[in-house]
Amino acid sequence: MVAKGLKVLGLMMVLGTAGTAAAQEGPQGRVKVFLKGGLGDYTGDIGESVKMGPTWGLTLNVQPLRFLGFEVGYEGGRNTIGTDELDLALTRHGGSALVKLGLPVLEAVKPFVGVGIGISRISVGGDLLQRGDYVSDTVKELPLVAGIEFNTGSLTAGARATYRPFLDQNIREQVEDPSGGYFDFAITLGARF
């Protein structure tokens, strides 16, 4: 009985020591939550008449390994249509999930790339509703992201560019086969846990 107790105590000490060493070796802040804001624009046929506008978002990032991360997030944007006579705008609300790969060399400065899947609701607003040129639509996207993160203590900041090619494209009724997607550049600021 005493021998069994000593074995359990020894196992607990080994696991405790290994857990402490693993915690020191792993990246600080395996979970990040950050806000992002920037500018975005449509590309292809849709982008010919749409102006650049503000984008925003909220993202949760989980970093199980130094070089591998997973993100889920909300993104929004508002773009006006290029005309002075009418009040025309497309408002975008969507979500995406990404797999990120980063250089595992430095935790403080980390360039990364990522790919994922997303879905957005693009709503028509203003005088577009009366004209019928555009219709609100839900589109599937393939987010492709590249950026850099700066991490120190419990803070994280960064910059990223994201291109989201549309996998289905029915935003404009009058164009039979529009091409393009949505491109944005954003600054990020958040916390690491």
Side-chain angles (χ1 to χ4, degrees):
M1 180 104 148
V2 173
K4 188 175 184 182
L6 289 174
K7 286 180 183 177
V8 171
L9 181 61
L11 180 62
M12 288 175 50
M13 289 178 61
V14 167
L15 290 176
T17 305
T20 304
Q24 290 173 350
E25 291 174 7
Q28 179 182 357
R30 289 183 185 268
V31 177
K32 299 176 188 176
V33 178
F34 55 86
L35 295 170
K36 59 184 175 179
L39 293 173
D41 200 2
Y42 290 88
T43 63
D45 294 341
I46 299 164
E48 291 176 6
S49 58
V50 177
K51 295 181 181 178
M52 187 177 296
T55 65
W56 55 86
L58 174 66
T59 301
L60 170 68
N61 181 89
V62 178
Q63 195 80 30
L65 302 171
R66 286 187 183 272
F67 67 92
L68 178 67
F70 301 97
E71 283 187 3
V72 291
Y74 156 78
E75 298 100 17
R78 180 171 167 76
N79 299 80
T80 57
I81 307 295
T83 180
D84 294 330
E85 297 100 31
L86 300 171
D87 173 30
L88 310 173
L90 297 177
T91 303
R92 180 181 163 274
H93 296 283
S96 64
L98 295 171
V99 175
K100 284 175 38 181
L101 295 175
L103 291 177
V105 180
L106 295 174
E107 185 65 21
V109 179
K110 184 178 285 187
F112 66 88
V113 294
V115 65
I117 189 77
I119 189 165
S120 288
R121 179 72 180 168
I122 301 172
S123 301
V124 175
D127 295 329
L128 287 173
L129 294 173
Q130 286 106 22
R131 290 183 53 192
D133 291 342
Y134 294 75
V135 293
S136 296
D137 194 16
T138 301
V139 294
K140 295 179 214 101
E141 304 165 337
L142 180 70
L144 306 169
V145 61
I148 189 164
E149 293 176 347
F150 304 97
N151 301 302
T152 178
S154 62
L155 297 176
T156 183
R160 60 174 55 200
T162 308
Y163 181 62
R164 297 173 179 86
F166 295 144
L167 300 180
D168 56 358
Q169 306 160 350
N170 296 314
I171 295 170
R172 297 204 302 183
E173 263 185 342
Q174 79 276 20
V175 179
E176 290 183 12
D177 187 24
S179 63
Y182 190 78
F183 177 81
D184 67 55
F185 177 79
I187 301 297
T188 64
L189 182 61
R192 305 193 310 157
F193 304 97

